[in-house]
Amino acid sequence: MSSQDPIRNDPDSALSPAQLRVQALLRSTEAPAAREDFRIRLRQRFSSGDFEVGEDLRSSGAARPSPAPRSRWKLRYGVPLAAAAAVVLMFSLWNPGTTWEVMSVAANTAHVNLDGEEFSCDDLSLIQAALHPGCKIEVPEGGQIEILDQGKLVLQLNGSVAVTLPSLPFRWFGSTLESVFTGRGTLRVATAEQFAGTRYRLRSAGVDLEVTGTTFAVIQTEDETCICVLDGEVVATLPDGSKRSVSGGRRLTIRRASGQIEEGEMHPEERSQLRELRMRTDHIS
Amino acid sequence: MSSEKDPTHSDGVVVPGNGGSAPQAARSSASELAPPSREELLRVRDREEAALGRFFDRYFSHVYGLVRRLLRDETLAEDATQEVFLKVHRAIDRLDPERDPAPWLTTIAYNVCRDRWRSSADKMDRQSSSIEDQPGLSNRLGDSRSTPEEDALAHERQRLVQEAISRLPEPQREVVVLHDYEGMTHDEIAQMVGASHAAIRKRYSRALNALADLLKETLG
């Protein structure tokens, strides 16, 4: 690269008058504006962090270009789909999944926060009654709580971990539980026998995890996210979109600032902690 | 911009818009506003809801404008904008509070658009049109000159310019959008898209020639 090259320093100086006129016209136009309802919906999701992968925020009822053969599409697929949706709705109404159960709270845990409201651990039934789909649970520094989520998986929240509870799945169909892990600390997860046929997605800073049956821990610090897997397999989706599989006995550490990945044996401390959790979970089944 | 100190972010992506030959008038709206303070960006990084809302307000138009110009229609642009903010939200821990986030957002938005260009759906759409297939575009733009209302004229001109840009092949379109609307120099674009400076200069020149042909009526 030469700083003496006049065209390099000012590439527009090499343009013809016709090209300069086009350039001026381009630059005189304002940026295209987005539909306001789309902007508002996306803003709400971005600020709250309540993103659903694949969700269509564009559909709003506002005028949007729609494909021409829509009416035929409705006739061919719309009626069967509506009927199928009605059947699914009936199943879900007749057969709601089980809800949540507080399994244990460490002695040094005086309270937990549910959706920002403080609940004393003196009366666990009040905490249990307040748990609901999408509820955000926060455990104070040094505290620990274990929750049996819908009879399918055990979530053990340690330290300053905050986790949102998944929504209720359909019991009779394979379903996906999804929750979000924020804060700093260790979240341990073990799947119960009833988990079979279910997927669990855990979104955390910089990495998304998906499991179909396993015991694992996610340790989130200021700089790193570490995944330790005792048994089964965890598929991690990294910030760049690539996927890594972490199998039993292994560890994956992601340094969030640099994106650097480190793989190795799982931490010995996590091995013993997860074994204990696995044993307690096996007793549920 | 604070990015003038160092042409790269910590993740190695090119930081565009740090001076050079592009005129100040060509800078995007995000570049024209002062970047958020360090304290504000720390609040964003900590995912404080109010700070995230202000961050969104500050950069939404910048992201949408860039994506809309790079992609072919509103539906694709809305999909891509949603994906950009999802990626930003997931990677917000990597936000450097010492730097203006605009170049980081530009890079994410460009990469999302590039991924969509590579998708089979967009390829099919691309094959169906070319500059030569649009003989009526410049005539329609010429007709709009007779419209009495200034606002209507400006709106129509904007629409037709956008339509003309969307007819360009992607290599030319991205150079025009990044240079004339994002204010990036040819060197910065070359680094971002992985091409030589000479190739970028040629693409830009060809793009302007193609647009001149499409828009000749309005250019007189």
Side-chain angles (χ1 to χ4, degrees), chain A residues 191-272:
Chain A
T191 55
E193 193 178 316
Q194 293 88 329
F195 190 81
T198 310
R199 285 178 185 277
Y200 177 54
R201 277 197 203 117
L202 177 65
R203 288 159 37 198
S204 67
V207 60
D208 289 354
L209 306 175
E210 185 165 316
V211 301
T212 52
T214 177
T215 310
F216 70 101
V218 183
I219 305 149
Q220 197 151 276
T221 64
E222 191 66 32
D223 307 313
E224 294 179 351
T225 301
C226 178
I227 301 138
C228 286
V229 181
L230 179 71
D231 54 54
E233 185 181 49
V234 173
V235 176
T237 304
L238 305 179
D240 63 2
S242 64
K243 290 184 188 293
R244 292 287 180 106
S245 174
V246 191
S247 53
R250 303 293 294 170
R251 166 179 61 86
L252 177 70
T253 304
I254 301 119
R255 297 200 171 82
R256 289 195 296 276
S258 63
Q260 194 183 347
I261 303 294
E262 185 185 304
E263 291 174 291
E265 292 287 318
M266 71 183 297
H267 296 309
E269 166 68 6
E270 275 313 309
R271 188 184 295 277
S272 59

Side-chain angles (χ1 to χ4, degrees), chain B residues 69-200:
Chain B
R69 280 167 166 149
L70 285 173
L71 297 175
R72 288 181 179 276
D73 65 37
E74 186 183 60
T75 305
L76 289 174
E78 289 184 349
D79 273 345
T81 303
Q82 185 178 332
E83 187 179 341
V84 170
F85 279 100
L86 175 63
K87 284 178 184 286
V88 168
H89 197 278
R90 287 179 171 179
I92 207 81
D93 283 13
R94 298 171 69 191
L95 179 69
D96 185 347
E98 308 296 338
R99 296 172 189 272
D100 181 1
W104 182 55
L105 291 166
T106 298
T107 303
I108 293 174
Y110 169 75
N111 287 337
V112 166
C113 293
R114 186 193 55 195
D115 290 346
R116 291 186 177 241
W117 289 335
R118 290 172 179 171
S119 74
S120 56
D122 193 56
K123 277 177 186 161
M124 285 170 63
D125 181 43
R126 216 182 312 156
Q127 285 166 357
S128 66
S129 65
S130 68
I131 295 169
E132 289 75 22
D133 294 338
Q134 306 299 318
L137 183 57
S138 58
N139 292 335
R140 280 183 279 147
L141 188 57
D143 293 344
S144 72
R145 299 175 74 189
S146 61
T147 309
E149 294 84 359
E150 291 287 330
D151 286 351
L153 176 62
H155 183 265
E156 180 69 356
R157 186 171 58 210
Q158 179 179 335
R159 189 184 69 76
L160 292 172
V161 166
Q162 173 61 34
E163 194 175 333
I165 291 171
S166 75
R167 302 296 173 203
L168 294 175
E170 285 129 20
Q172 293 179 17
R173 196 188 324 154
E174 67 187 12
V175 175
V176 165
V177 171
L178 294 174
H179 182 61
D180 285 322
Y181 295 117
E182 291 300 304
M184 292 171 67
T185 66
H186 287 180
D187 275 328
E188 290 166 345
I189 297 168
Q191 287 182 60
M192 179 182 268
V193 307
S196 69
H197 177 272
I200 296 300

Side-chain angles (χ1 to χ4, degrees), chain A residues 98-201:
Chain A
T98 52
T99 52
W100 298 271
E101 183 183 335
V102 178
M103 288 173 62
S104 70
V105 175
N108 63 346
T109 311
H111 69 274
V112 295
N113 286 320
L114 302 180
D115 289 333
E117 190 181 346
E118 192 174 295
F119 282 74
S120 167
C121 292
D122 293 338
D123 189 350
L124 298 183
S125 63
L126 289 178
I127 296 176
Q128 197 156 305
L131 297 174
H132 61 86
C135 166
K136 185 176 182 180
I137 313 173
E138 294 174 88
V139 181
E141 186 72 41
Q144 184 192 84
I145 186 169
E146 280 182 4
I147 295 165
L148 175 61
D149 192 319
Q150 303 166 53
K152 295 193 171 190
L153 75 163
V154 175
L155 303 174
Q156 184 194 83
L157 290 72
N158 299 270
S160 308
V161 165
V163 172
T164 58
L165 287 181
S167 56
L168 285 169
F170 296 120
R171 182 185 287 175
W172 292 344
F173 299 100
S175 58
T176 300
L177 307 178
E178 185 164 317
S179 57
V180 181
F181 172 15
T182 54
R184 302 284 178 261
T186 303
L187 171 69
R188 297 190 180 96
V189 180
T191 55
E193 193 178 316
Q194 293 88 329
F195 190 81
T198 310
R199 285 178 185 277
Y200 177 54
R201 277 197 203 117

